[in-house]
Amino acid sequence: MDAQNMEVAALIEKIAGLQAAIAELPSLSPSPEVDRLFTDLVTACVPPSPVDVTKLSPEHQGMREALIRLCSAAEGKLEAHYADLLATFDNPLDHLARFPYYSNYVNLSRLEYELLARHVPGIAPARVAFVGSGPLPFSSFVLAAHHLPDAHFDNYDLCGAANERARKLFGASEDGVGARMKFHTADDVADLTQELGAYDVVFLAALIGMAAEEKAKVIAHLGAHMVEGASLVVRSAHGACGFLYPIVDPEDIRRGGFEVLAVHHPEGEVINSVIVARKAVDAQLSGPQNGARGAVPLVSPPCSFSTKMEASALKKSEELATKELAF
C-alpha cells in the first residue's frame, strides 16, 4: 500500500471510530464529552486530504451517511441551545458572536454573495428563500443585513420549534432587518410548489437531503418549480469535509434543470463548498437530453480549513456550553 492509500485508510479508520463513539452517546446536546468528540472529528476532517468519499466501500459509505445524520442532529441541538441562550438577552442581536461558529456563517454568507455577484452580474433580488434555516438563521440575517438590503427573506424549516426560536430572535421587530425576515414550517421540500416561483434566489442548506439520492430529488423538485432565470445556491463539501456534510454532484444540479455557473471549494475560514446555478431558460442548457457531462467551472483550489481557527472555536464552544447549560 502506497503512502497516500495508507493516509486515506488511517483517516477512515479514525473517523469510523469517532462515529461509533458518537453513536453511543446518550445525548447529542452540548456537553464536554459531545464537544470533545466533535472537536476530534472536525480536526480530523478539515485538513486537505486525498480521500474521495464517493469511492468508499459500501460499509464505510453507510458509516459516513450515519455520521452526517449524527452531525445534523448535534448541530440542531447546539443551535437550539444557543438560540435559547440568546433569547435571555434584552438585545439578542448584539450577542450573536457568542455562538462559536458565527464568524464562519459571516464568512460563508459573504462568499456566497460575492459568487452570486460575480456570476450573476447586476443581481438585486427582491425575494429570497432559504431552505433549511434552523433555529439560528445566521446566513439569512447576514445576507439581509449586509449584502442584500432590499431583499425579503422567507426561511423554511421542517421544525416548528426551530422557527419559533428564530422568529423570536430575528423576526420580532417591525422595522429594519426583522421586517424583511419571515419564517415558515414545511414538513418536506416537496410541499413547496407555487411558492418557489416567487423567488429570485433560493439557498439550499448543506444538510437538506443527506444522501446523494435525497439531495438530487430535492434539487429536481426546485428545478421543477423555480422560475426560469432564478439563481440557486447549494452548499456542498469537498475531500474529507464530505464526512461532515453531503457532497453535491454538479451533474445532479444540471439534471435538475439548472445551468451550473460555478463550483467553489474555499480555503481558510469556510468549510462548505458552494455551487452557484441558474434555472435554465432552455432545458437543453442543463444537459440531460444528450447525456454529455459539461465542464464544471471550478473557481478555486480544493477546500482547506484553518484547523487552528476551528479548534479555537470548538474550545470556545465547549467552554460556553459547559458554563451555560443551566441558564
Side-chain angles (χ1 to χ4, degrees), residues 68-87:
I68 290 174
R69 294 182 189 279
L70 288 169
C71 289
S72 176
E75 184 173 308
K77 289 183 179 297
L78 181 69
E79 290 194 6
H81 167 77
Y82 276 94
D84 291 342
L85 171 65
L86 289 168

Side-chain angles (χ1 to χ4, degrees), residues 16-27:
L18 288 167
Q19 187 273 333
I22 292 170
E24 292 177 356
L25 289 168
S27 171

Side-chain angles (χ1 to χ4, degrees), residues 277-294:
R278 178 170 49 210
K279 175 67 181 296
V281 176
D282 183 335
Q284 290 184 348
L285 290 176
S286 62
Q289 284 78 13
N290 56 26
R293 292 178 64 90

Side-chain angles (χ1 to χ4, degrees), residues 30 34-40 42-43 46 71 74-75 78-79 82 96-109 136 138-139 142 244-245 269-272 305 309-318 320:
V34 169
D35 293 336
R36 182 187 68 80
L37 287 171
F38 278 100
T39 296
D40 290 347
V42 173
T43 302
V46 295
C71 289
E75 184 173 308
L78 181 69
E79 290 194 6
Y82 276 94
L96 299 183
R98 294 179 74 88
F99 186 74
Y101 305 113
Y102 179 63
S103 64
N104 184 66
Y105 283 99
V106 171
N107 292 327
L108 176 57
S109 299
L136 288 177
F138 288 136
S139 297
V142 171
L244 305 174
Y245 293 101
E269 298 180 359
V270 176
I271 192 168
N272 287 109
F305 191 73
M309 180 265 187
E310 178 69 8
S312 174
L314 286 164
K315 182 178 180 182
K316 178 181 177 183
S317 171
E318 179 174 336
L320 287 173

